[in-house]
Amino acid sequence: MLRHTRALCVCLLLWLTILADRSVPGVTATTPEAAALELRREECGEAMTRCLSLDGGMEEDCEDCVEQCTQLARSAEPGPGIDEDVADDYARTARATVRRCQEELDDIRMSSTSNAFAAGVSFGSA
């Protein structure tokens, strides 16, 4: 229960950040670079939401979150239409999201390993 509450808080905070940043001075989506960065940020946020859903994310969702947000962290560089501070903020947020999705992925994998072990033990004892 605590894990899901924490996941919900992380989701809400990231989405609030994303919504607040939509009109942030420093990102001008008129350049192809800025538009690509915005698209990566949206993909990262959507993948994070799927991974950290209240129903419990699927392994594929968390893998997608790690991949999408890693790409965002790598591509968040200052350039045409993107201020340095904004790029740094995007990269920092993306790295934090990668860590959180990786933790969730590790939990999912550990849980499935534990369940498989328990099933094997109960089958073996029968």
Side-chain angles (χ1 to χ4, degrees), residues 6-124:
R6 197 174 23 188
L8 178 61
C9 289
V10 170
C11 278
L12 290 174
L13 285 174
L14 187 60
W15 273 112
L16 287 174
T17 302
I18 289 170
L19 290 175
D21 284 343
R22 286 197 188 273
S23 60
V24 169
V27 176
T28 309
T30 56
T31 64
E33 295 85 356
L37 183 63
E38 284 299 308
L39 180 62
R40 286 196 188 280
R41 185 174 64 142
E42 288 174 14
E43 290 170 345
C44 171
E46 290 168 3
M48 181 215 54
T49 300
R50 288 189 307 271
C51 174
L52 302 178
S53 70
L54 290 177
D55 298 334
M58 304 290 289
E59 187 171 349
E60 303 84 39
D61 295 330
C62 293
E63 288 172 344
D64 187 43
C65 176
V66 170
E67 179 183 335
Q68 294 294 335
C69 296
T70 297
Q71 288 178 8
L72 172 61
R74 289 182 182 152
S75 65
E77 295 182 8
I82 305 167
D83 287 347
E84 186 174 342
D85 291 341
V86 173
D88 288 344
D89 186 47
Y90 282 17
R92 196 172 29 258
T93 301
R95 286 191 301 270
T97 304
V98 167
R99 283 192 300 274
R100 181 63 188 103
C101 289
Q102 187 63 56
E103 288 172 2
E104 187 70 15
L105 181 58
D106 293 344
D107 288 349
I108 290 169
R109 288 179 175 161
M110 182 62 92
S111 176
S112 63
T113 301
S114 297
N115 290 342
F117 178 75
V121 168
S122 65
F123 181 74

